[in-house]
Amino acid sequence: MEDIRRGMIPAHIYNDKEIFEREKATVFSRSWLFVAHESEVPQAGDYVVRRVLEDSFIISRDSKGGIRAMFNMCLHRGMQVCRAEMGNASNFRCPYHGWSYRNDGRIIGLPFHEEAYGGEEGFKKKGQTLLPAPNLDSYNGMIFINMDPNAESLSDYLGDFKFYLDYYTKQSESGLEVRGPQRWRVKANWKIGAENFAGDMYHTPQTHTSVVEIGLFREPKAEKRKDGATYWAGPGGGTTYKLPDGTFDERMQYVGYTAEMTDRAKDVWSDEQQRVIGADGFMISAASVFPNLSFVHNWPKVEDGDDVLPFISIRLWQPISENETEVLSFFAVDRSAPEEFKKKSYKAYLMCFGSTGMFEQDDVENWVSLTNTSAGSMARRLLLNSRMGLLEDGTRVSEELTADEFHGPGTAQVGYNEANQRKLLEMWADYLEKPALEVGPTSVGTDNPDGIRPMTPTNGSCDHAAGTHSKDATLNGAVLA
């Protein structure tokens, strides 16, 4: 761990079964994890099914409009209750023995309740629900769960990164419209993608040279990335491009936003958020939030000519094993954007990212090779040098930008460096050193005091369009109202 904290990375961490088991017990059991966006379940009864490691959750908008996250396992014999990945349902019926549940999780049907159980005396059906996620909250419509019932609030967890998250998730009062996800698996360790999106501007001139050479981008050279800044705040960080001289409006339109969209952004972004673009000249690009949530914002050409179209993608690096990752890639766009803009922005996204995107294919080729090479005995003898941007004594090669040069929170610097990758792995090391999360079993259908009880929401709530985090004692669990 001390090697990691000084930027020397044991190569085998990218393909080690024992480390992966430790990650499951500490990192993914204690972090806030993105599972869905509220626009995916806009109407009462809408649901999507999402996985956190081996656990399947139904993310549902119940009949009263609240959002639930429920463990997708029948209370009877453990069968998966919902088998479809998305849909609309007033209730879910287990295909094994026919137990059925409302879309808020309450059990409503138990065949032969009297004959098989003796009614309520044998199995107390009233008040029983599918097991809710221990913690549930959202920010700007992004729904997160945490497996630790005593976790810090989502707002505290995101901290100063909320400043940057707004660029991706709140470009108008209407919020986001999310499509997807595309979903596929790659034979690569989950940490590699998260690190790459957190701050790896250095790979662009090498890995993605062909994308620039075919004219997909207006900038003539991939080396232009070194003029941008990397930033880190709270649990995440990202990269920016340096924009040509101009006002906030001119710079927004330079990357393809219409005047109307720019005006709507000014209505929801703070003065400081606008200054990062308008005064400092930096436009956000890729970013990662610990542990496995990433974003990308770019503006390629989608047609002949010099016009560009920006797109936003939200992506999850969902671990399958120490050497396999399921990638979930969402297309995101401002709900108020013109339909023609949405159409072209989606085309730009498909060209660059997603399962057939040019950037995606470039990256995965490297990540698979890295993972494979990390599996052997020689990898255990090697400490990878991730100290770019530091002299031997720890002095920075480039000074941090001042508050007048960069109006965002956290730290920022210009030029190639690996500060963000180091920060991400420092957090990873901190979590690995935490004790494994231990929780007792939950009994259902009895008077056992350890049975399902209302979950206590996290302290405080985030500023999100969906409202506040509330508790409903009757329905047993946290709900986003």
Side-chain angles (χ1 to χ4, degrees):
M1 296 304 172
E2 291 311 309
D3 286 331
I4 288 171
R5 292 187 176 99
R6 65 186 180 91
M8 300 301 294
I9 313 303
H12 71 94
I13 72 169
Y14 298 107
N15 197 340
D16 187 291
K17 187 172 182 59
E18 286 186 29
I19 287 177
F20 181 63
E21 292 302 316
R22 185 68 185 170
E23 289 171 344
K24 291 196 291 185
T26 58
V27 174
F28 289 93
S29 67
R30 294 186 179 276
S31 304
W32 281 97
L33 306 170
F34 172 70
V35 289
H37 189 272
E38 291 179 10
S39 66
E40 296 183 84
V41 287
Q43 305 297 326
D46 287 348
Y47 69 86
V48 295
V49 172
R50 294 286 150 76
R51 195 175 49 78
V52 174
L53 297 175
E54 295 94 350
D55 293 323
S56 173
F57 287 91
I58 304 169
I59 314 300
S60 170
R61 190 177 291 274
D62 65 33
S63 300
K64 295 182 179 179
I67 292 178
R68 305 272 173 174
M70 303 168 290
F71 183 40
N72 191 11
M73 176 180 273
C74 181
L75 301 180
H76 177 219
R77 299 293 291 173
M79 177 64 179
Q80 192 174 8
V81 174
C82 183
R83 304 296 295 261
E85 290 195 21
M86 60 184 65
N88 183 282
S90 60
N91 58 77
F92 303 104
R93 183 177 180 274
C94 175
Y96 197 1
H97 296 99
W99 287 34
S100 56
Y101 306 83
R102 288 186 181 172
N103 53 25
D104 58 22
R106 283 187 291 183
I107 186 169
I108 54 171
L110 196 165
F112 308 109
H113 188 207
E114 285 291 336
E115 296 92 331
Y117 289 94
E120 286 291 305
E121 291 185 17
F123 182 93
K124 297 191 179 303
K125 184 175 69 172
K126 185 177 181 180
Q128 303 296 327
T129 76
L130 293 173
L131 194 64
N135 259 315
L136 170 69
D137 212 337
S138 74
Y139 182 79
N140 287 352
M142 298 190 69
I143 304 167
F144 293 78
I145 65 174
N146 194 310
M147 306 298 279
D148 183 356
N150 299 311
E152 64 180 324
S153 71
L154 175 62
S155 182
D156 288 345
Y157 180 84
L158 293 174
D160 285 340
F161 192 82
K162 294 196 293 284
F163 179 97
Y164 302 101
L165 195 52
D166 289 350
Y167 289 121
Y168 300 99
T169 60
K170 192 175 182 181
Q171 295 185 349
S172 77
E173 292 288 355
S174 300
L176 281 187
E177 175 183 312
V178 169
R179 302 180 194 172
Q182 292 188 31
R183 186 164 59 87
W184 66 96
R185 293 188 178 190
V186 297
K187 297 294 288 185
N189 184 269
W190 69 272
K191 294 187 290 297
I192 304 172
E195 288 179 44
N196 181 281
F197 277 67
D200 193 345
M201 296 196 295
Y202 189 61
H203 82 292
T204 307
Q206 325 307 325
T207 299
H208 301 305
T209 300
S210 61
V211 177
V212 178
E213 288 178 344
I214 65 173
L216 190 61
F217 286 90
R218 181 169 47 201
E219 284 73 13
K221 292 184 179 180
E223 284 82 354
K224 290 287 288 181
R225 286 290 264 162
K226 70 178 183 294
D227 299 328
T230 55
Y231 63 86
W232 186 272
T239 67
T240 75
Y241 279 92
K242 184 66 175 176
L243 299 171
D245 291 339
T247 64
F248 174 81
D249 293 62
E250 290 168 341
R251 284 169 162 166
M252 288 286 286
Q253 289 164 36
Y254 174 81
V255 300
Y257 289 101
T258 67
E260 293 78 10
M261 293 182 72
T262 300
D263 287 340
R264 284 194 287 267
K266 286 192 286 188
D267 289 338
V268 295
W269 289 348
S270 69
D271 290 343
E272 288 76 14
Q273 287 169 324
Q274 294 179 51
R275 287 191 185 108
V276 169
I277 299 171
D280 306 336
F282 294 112
M283 179 61 76
I284 55 102
S285 181
S288 289
V289 178
F290 184 83
N292 66 332
L293 170 64
S294 292
F295 302 86
V296 62
H297 173 239
N298 224 317
W299 42 96
K301 298 178 184 179
V302 294
E303 297 173 344
D304 291 338
D306 291 330
D307 291 341
V308 295
L309 253 295
F311 70 87
I312 292 171
S313 176
I314 303 170
R315 54 223 354 262
L316 276 176
W317 316 105
Q318 185 69 261
I320 301 298
S321 70
E322 68 275 12
N323 54 27
E324 186 173 14
T325 300
E326 185 171 78
V327 185
L328 279 74
S329 179
F330 302 80
F331 168 73
V333 67
D334 175 34
R335 191 190 303 271
S336 297
E339 289 303 316
E340 186 65 17
F341 178 95
K342 293 179 181 179
K343 180 180 178 181
K344 291 183 177 179
S345 181
Y346 186 60
K347 181 178 179 181
Y349 156 73
L350 291 177
M351 289 169 59
C352 296
F353 287 90
S355 57
T356 59
M358 287 182 281
F359 279 94
E360 203 85 58
Q361 295 178 61
D362 288 344
D363 285 330
V364 168
E365 188 73 19
N366 291 329
W367 301 349
V368 170
S369 178
L370 193 166
T371 302
N372 290 340
T373 310
S374 300
S377 62
M378 289 298 291
R380 293 184 172 272
R381 308 182 188 193
L382 179 61
L383 294 178
L384 304 173
N385 190 309
S386 187
R387 289 176 55 83
M388 187 190 305
L390 296 176
L391 300 178
E392 186 143 349
D393 64 359
T395 304
R396 290 175 180 268
V397 173
S398 300
E399 293 294 324
E400 289 182 13
L401 296 175
T402 66
D404 290 332
E405 295 171 315
F406 191 85
H407 285 81
T411 60
Q413 55 192 307
V414 170
Y416 295 138
N417 65 82
E418 290 172 317
N420 287 5
Q421 292 96 313
R422 289 193 296 271
K423 284 285 191 182
L424 196 76
L425 285 180
E426 284 174 17
M427 284 194 69
W428 176 82
D430 291 343
Y431 270 78
L432 244 62
E433 290 184 328
K434 294 177 183 289
L437 181 65
E438 295 183 4
V439 292
T442 296
S443 302
V444 297
T446 71
D447 283 326
N448 189 319
D450 292 327
I452 289 182
R453 300 180 302 279
M455 292 290 175
T456 302
T458 53
N459 295 326
S461 61
C462 294
D463 291 329
H464 51 17
T468 58
H469 191 188
S470 63
K471 179 173 68 176
D472 186 325
T474 303
L475 300 187
N476 297 322
V479 57
L480 296 176

